[in-house]
Amino acid sequence: LDLRFHRFNEKGEFEEEFRWDLKGQYSPEYYSQRAVDIIRSHDKSRDKPFFLYLAYQNAHSPTQVAQHYIDKYSSHFRYKDEQIFAGMVSAMDEGIGNITAAIRDSGLEEDTIVIFTSDNGGSVQLKDTQTHNFTSSNYPFRGGKESVYEGGIRTPSLVWAPSRVIPGKETSSMIHVTDWLPT
């Protein structure tokens, strides 16, 4: 894992930090821990907001995951590709759980908005190397990633904002990822 951080320092100057020493680390675990560290180190007494953007690569190719995630699914799925994919989703789920726990533990829950979204539907062109089944299903929608059919452009999203959003509220309104910010 090679990593580049971008941030503004205390003087408002843009900085980059390169990390070349992360070889052998599974990036979703590293990114999640880095996000947790940023949240925990935030000085709440200064009443200064911050923005954290985290884009996991799970579940994109290359399909790779740390062995301990594969081990969790060795008795649940027959094929290695399925075990790897399930592990990738679990790694992301674990990371999101750790991040939301850090938000709660830091007392930032009431002042935080978490948006979880996807850029496209699952790829229906790729086939599992062992089963030759498609790796994704966007049922009941037609198409998938790289198509303009609903299976390619319609994805679920969620907003977690305890002080701003009514729990359990659902909408079927169409929204584009760019609509999350004022236009």
Side-chain angles (χ1 to χ4, degrees):
L1 169 68
D2 299 330
L3 191 61
R4 178 187 298 188
F5 291 106
H6 296 117
R7 67 173 163 260
F8 288 96
N9 64 23
E10 291 293 320
K11 297 176 187 175
E13 300 165 332
F14 185 74
E15 291 182 336
E16 307 191 285
E17 174 188 342
F18 292 91
R19 296 288 308 270
W20 303 105
D21 60 328
L22 301 172
K23 187 174 177 142
Q25 292 192 36
Y26 185 51
S27 63
E29 292 176 330
Y30 180 81
Y31 295 152
S32 297
Q33 187 56 54
R34 181 78 171 117
V36 166
D37 293 344
I38 289 168
I39 292 163
R40 288 188 176 145
S41 67
H42 179 66
D43 186 358
K44 201 175 144 192
S45 67
R46 292 180 53 196
D47 198 31
K48 188 173 182 181
F50 69 98
F51 175 81
L52 181 91
Y53 175 78
L54 175 57
Y56 287 104
Q57 298 92 353
N58 315 41
H60 284 98
S61 62
T63 52
Q64 299 172 338
V65 70
Q67 185 63 43
H68 65 274
Y69 291 108
I70 296 171
D71 294 344
K72 289 168 104 172
Y73 294 101
S74 61
S75 63
H76 293 78
F77 295 103
R78 180 176 171 190
Y79 298 105
K80 187 77 160 188
D81 288 353
E82 294 171 335
Q83 296 168 11
I84 291 169
F85 188 80
M88 291 172 71
V89 173
S90 285
M92 182 172 57
D93 184 56
E94 180 181 291
I96 293 166
N98 293 341
I99 290 165
T100 54
I103 290 167
R104 282 190 185 110
D105 295 346
S106 298
L108 297 169
E109 185 175 8
E110 295 302 313
D111 297 322
T112 300
I113 300 171
V114 174
I115 299 172
F116 182 86
T117 191
S118 180
D119 54 353
N120 49 253
S123 176
V124 294
Q125 292 84 11
L126 298 175
K127 289 191 173 188
D128 184 291
T129 58
Q130 295 168 344
T131 65
H132 302 289
N133 293 329
F134 290 110
T135 56
S136 296
S137 171
N138 299 306
Y139 182 83
F141 305 114
R142 177 180 172 188
K145 182 176 183 169
E146 299 177 0
S147 80
V148 294
Y149 295 115
E150 285 197 61
I153 60 174
R154 191 170 173 165
T155 63
S157 297
L158 71 85
V159 175
W160 179 72
S163 65
R164 293 173 173 84
V165 176
I166 301 167
K169 183 171 171 71
E170 292 184 26
T171 181
S172 59
S173 299
M174 291 198 337
I175 185 171
H176 187 267
V177 69
T178 57
D179 292 330
W180 289 113
L181 297 173
T183 54

